[in-house]
Structure formats: C-alpha cells, structure tokens
C-alpha cells in the first residue's frame, strides 16, 4: 500500500472514532430506554406517545452502536493485513 503512506494512522484514527461513536450511541440508547420506562409510569396519552418515540430512538441508537462495532472489527481485520502498523 505504498500509495497510501498514512494508512495505518488513518485506520487507527477511524477505529478510535468508531469506538467513541459506539460509546456515545450506547449511552444515549440507555438514556432513551430509561426515559421510555419513566414515561410509561404515567397514564397520560401524550406521555405514552413520547415514550414510544423514545423507544424508537433507543432502538436506532442501538443499531448505530452495532454498526460501529462491526466497522471497528473490519478495520481491525484490515489493520492486521496492512504492513507498517
């Protein structure tokens, strides 16, 4: 990979950023799930509607976290086959 002299550093940076995004998404998903649980304690239709939106957000953030994990694993695979790591 002579045409990409900074490839190892670039991959390491991508990997680090994906780990940060994964952590943030996981934290936010957990908060959204807690909001869902808290809002469901009340018998109010508006709050129930907001709870459903929170649940959807938690699910999407969980998917983002899983995508980041998969991409970080792929980067690790690439790093293992890239000379000059």
């Amino acid at each position: 990979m002579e045409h990409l002299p900074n490839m190892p550093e670039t991959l390491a940076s991508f990997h680090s950023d994906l780990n940060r995004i994964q952590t943030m998404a996981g934290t936010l998903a957990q908060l959204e799930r807690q909001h869902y649980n808290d809002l469901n304690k009340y018998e109010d239709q508006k709050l129930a509607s907001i709870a459903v939106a929170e649940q959807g957000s938690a699910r999407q953030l969980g998917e983002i976290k899983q995508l980041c994990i998969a991409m970080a694993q792929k980067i690790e695979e690439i790093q293992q086959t890239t000379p000059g790591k």
Side-chain angles (χ1 to χ4, degrees):
M1 296 208 167
E2 294 88 33
H3 61 285
L4 299 170
N6 295 329
M7 180 61 90
E9 293 86 7
T10 300
L11 289 172
S13 178
F14 285 165
H15 190 268
S16 176
D17 290 344
L18 283 169
N19 284 334
R20 288 178 52 218
I21 294 167
Q22 171 199 340
T23 300
M24 287 185 271
T27 300
L28 290 171
Q30 185 177 7
L31 288 171
E32 296 295 297
R33 282 189 294 274
Q34 185 60 49
H35 291 165
Y36 170 79
N37 292 332
D38 290 345
L39 290 168
N40 269 328
K41 294 177 184 175
Y42 305 100
E43 294 184 22
D44 181 289
Q45 189 58 38
K46 281 187 177 184
L47 292 178
S49 175
I50 293 170
V52 170
E54 294 289 304
Q55 184 180 41
S57 295
R59 189 175 300 116
Q60 290 176 336
L61 287 161
E63 289 176 21
I64 290 169
K65 179 180 176 179
Q66 292 305 314
L67 287 170
C68 288
I69 290 170
M71 288 188 286
Q73 288 173 343
K74 187 64 176 174
I75 287 174
E76 287 176 14
E77 291 172 14
I78 294 169
Q79 285 175 313
Q80 291 173 1
T81 61
T82 302
K85 31 178 195 171

